[in-house]
């Protein structure tokens, strides 16, 4: 299957080519390693293996390496990095990816693969593991890896006073709901005509709205809406997202895109809840109050995710139209 996103790019060293030659030659790549630290032996062993491989890079190339535990990392730690290596599982990657901009390549390393232990991590976004890391990290720095440019969801809140607030970008999914989950989420739902559906302008009472990227659908969306067997055109997977109104009354589950949709149009929700929140990838919460207007689409910064033996879309070829 031909991938539209698996692209080889120029070596990371070229990021410095706009600088004077002497300065460029004196500036080796600046790499940050973020690791999962929960005092489990399997993760400690993985970190030791990664350190050994990176120590060789330091000796061979003078590469600058910094290490930060996931619990201590902040957005400032990612500024000016030529490569970010995330050691852990998918949860580790999605929990910190919102702090990484669209210009910084990210390399996921599975510290506990299911191939070695059934209790380990599936590691969908993890393009490497400790067995291949020494080879893969050099490919990453030499520009011979595969750069998968992935879209991310983002919500824009416009408050009743006119203030604009952005949620964290979501690689997998984004939920908008009443902060009190035992109370209904009440909102006006609007979306322009798209994909055979006409304009949507309706008031709903549900358990909140779930949005998912194409790649993120396996994390939550497919447990909410039965879309088993559905496939999607390759030329749409970076331009559209999935939407669902959770637990909408059965009589209101119309086939017009108001219950669930595969759409490229922005979805607009005007809150009629005392307090609601937006949660990106199950992590930080962004709150809003009654009257706030929330717009969701794929306008978030993209993520440059590196893989090495196949593209990220090759892993979900069964979701893509042949």
């Amino acid at each position: 299957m031909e991938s539209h996103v698996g692209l080889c790019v120029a070596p990371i060293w070229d990021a410095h080519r706009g600088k004077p030659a002497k300065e460029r030659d004196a500036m080796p790549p600046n790499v940050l390693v973020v690791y999962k630290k929960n005092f489990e032996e399997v993760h400690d062993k993985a970190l030791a293996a990664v350190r050994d491989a990176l120590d060789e890079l330091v000796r061979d190339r003078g590469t600058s390496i910094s290490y930060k535990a996931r619990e201590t990392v902040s957005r400032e730690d990612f500024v000016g990095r030529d490569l970010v290596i995330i050691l852990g599982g998918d949860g580790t990657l999605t929990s910190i990816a919102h702090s990484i901009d669209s210009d910084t390549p990210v390399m996921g390393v599975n510290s506990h693969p299911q191939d070695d232990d059934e209790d380990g991590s599936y590691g969908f976004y993890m393009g490497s593991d400790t067995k291949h890391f020494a080879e893969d990290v050099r490919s990453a720095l030499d520009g011979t890896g595969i750069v998968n440019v992935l879209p991310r969801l983002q919500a824009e809140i416009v408050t009743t006073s006119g203030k604009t607030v952005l949620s964290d970008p979501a690689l997998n999914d984004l939920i908008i709901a009443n902060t009190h989950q035992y109370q209904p989420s009440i909102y006006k739902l609007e979306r322009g005509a798209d994909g055979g559906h006409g304009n949507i302008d309706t008031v709903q009472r549900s358990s909140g709205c779930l949005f998912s990227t194409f790649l993120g659908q396996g994390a939550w969306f497919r447990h909410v809406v039965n879309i088993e067997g559905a496939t999607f055109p390759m030329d749409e997977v970076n331009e559209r997202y999935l939407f669902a109104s959770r637990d909408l009354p059965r009589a209101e589950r119309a086939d017009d895109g108001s219950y669930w949709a595969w759409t490229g149009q922005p979805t607009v929700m005007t809150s009629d809840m005392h307090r609601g929140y937006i949660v990106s990838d199950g992590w930080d919460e962004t709150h809003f109050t009654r009257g706030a207007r929330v717009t969701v689409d794929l306008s978030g910064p993209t993520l440059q995710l590196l893989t090495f033996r196949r593209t990220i879309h090759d892993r979900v070829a069964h979701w893509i139209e042949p």
Side-chain angles (χ1 to χ4, degrees):
M1 180 190 67
E2 181 183 357
S3 171
H4 292 198
V5 296
L7 304 173
C8 292
V9 298
I12 290 173
W13 305 92
D14 285 0
H16 304 301
R17 59 188 168 180
K19 299 179 180 179
K22 290 184 179 179
E23 182 180 352
R24 181 175 67 242
D25 294 340
M27 295 183 65
N30 188 339
V31 178
L32 172 66
V33 180
V34 182
Y35 58 92
K36 181 177 182 178
K37 184 64 178 176
N38 59 3
F39 303 102
E40 292 182 9
E41 184 180 10
V42 64
H43 300 297
D44 290 341
K45 286 184 176 180
L47 179 58
V50 166
R51 281 185 179 272
D52 287 344
L54 291 177
D55 285 346
E56 289 188 11
L57 265 182
V58 173
R59 290 192 295 269
D60 293 348
R61 302 186 179 187
T63 307
S64 175
I65 312 288
S66 302
Y67 295 86
K68 295 281 291 190
R70 179 178 66 171
E71 295 75 15
T72 65
V73 76
S74 64
R75 177 163 176 75
E76 290 73 22
D77 293 311
F78 299 98
V79 176
R81 303 292 183 174
D82 298 305
L83 176 66
V84 172
I85 298 169
I86 299 176
L87 178 65
D90 286 326
T92 305
L93 189 145
T94 57
S95 69
I96 62 174
H98 57 258
S99 296
I100 304 173
D101 62 29
S102 58
D103 297 324
T104 305
V106 178
M107 175 181 177
V109 183
N110 195 339
S111 60
H112 189 195
Q114 282 184 349
D115 290 345
D116 300 333
D117 181 351
E118 62 180 11
D119 294 326
S121 171
Y122 177 59
F124 176 77
Y125 290 115
M126 316 310 279
S128 185
D129 54 34
T130 55
K131 295 176 183 176
H132 297 93
F133 177 73
E135 171 189 355
D136 291 346
V137 70
R138 291 173 184 261
S139 293
L141 293 173
D142 292 340
T144 57
I146 300 168
V147 180
N148 303 271
V149 181
L150 306 184
R152 288 192 279 186
L153 290 159
Q154 192 160 49
E156 178 189 83
I157 303 168
V158 178
T159 69
T160 54
S161 64
K163 181 180 179 181
T164 300
V165 179
L166 294 177
S167 73
D168 286 335
L171 184 61
N172 272 342
D173 43 51
L174 180 150
I175 181 74
I176 302 178
N178 196 316
T179 54
H180 295 93
Q181 286 283 288
Y182 52 83
Q183 295 180 349
S185 298
I186 308 172
Y187 50 88
K188 181 179 181 181
L189 180 73
E190 299 173 88
R191 191 184 310 118
D194 183 48
H197 296 141
N199 291 334
I200 294 170
D201 186 343
T202 186
V203 174
Q204 291 184 339
R205 298 169 66 94
S206 70
S207 295
C209 292
L210 177 65
F211 302 79
S212 173
T213 62
F214 169 78
L215 290 175
Q217 63 185 281
W220 190 357
F221 194 89
R222 284 176 175 259
H223 300 281
V224 174
V225 179
N226 183 8
I227 57 171
E228 292 307 314
T231 57
F232 305 88
M234 184 65 202
D235 61 359
E236 294 181 358
V237 299
N238 281 358
E239 307 297 331
R240 293 178 174 241
Y241 61 91
L242 289 154
F243 159 88
S245 297
R246 297 190 306 154
D247 301 320
L248 195 67
R250 292 186 182 277
E252 298 177 26
R253 297 181 185 182
D255 189 24
D256 62 355
S258 59
Y259 168 48
W260 84 271
W262 168 246
T263 180
Q265 293 292 318
T267 296
V268 181
M269 299 171 63
T270 303
S271 173
D272 193 20
M273 298 171 279
H274 175 65
R275 185 171 293 276
Y277 63 8
I278 302 165
V279 185
S280 301
D281 287 333
W283 204 245
D284 289 338
E285 300 175 359
T286 305
H287 290 253
F288 58 87
T289 55
R290 180 175 282 112
R293 187 175 174 89
V294 183
T295 302
V296 180
D297 56 18
L298 287 174
S299 61
T302 57
L303 185 73
Q304 290 191 45
L305 184 72
L306 301 181
T307 55
F308 301 94
R309 280 155 289 281
R310 54 180 176 170
T311 72
I312 196 71
H313 288 103
D314 288 339
R315 305 195 70 174
V316 290
H318 55 291
W319 291 346
I320 300 172
E321 289 184 1

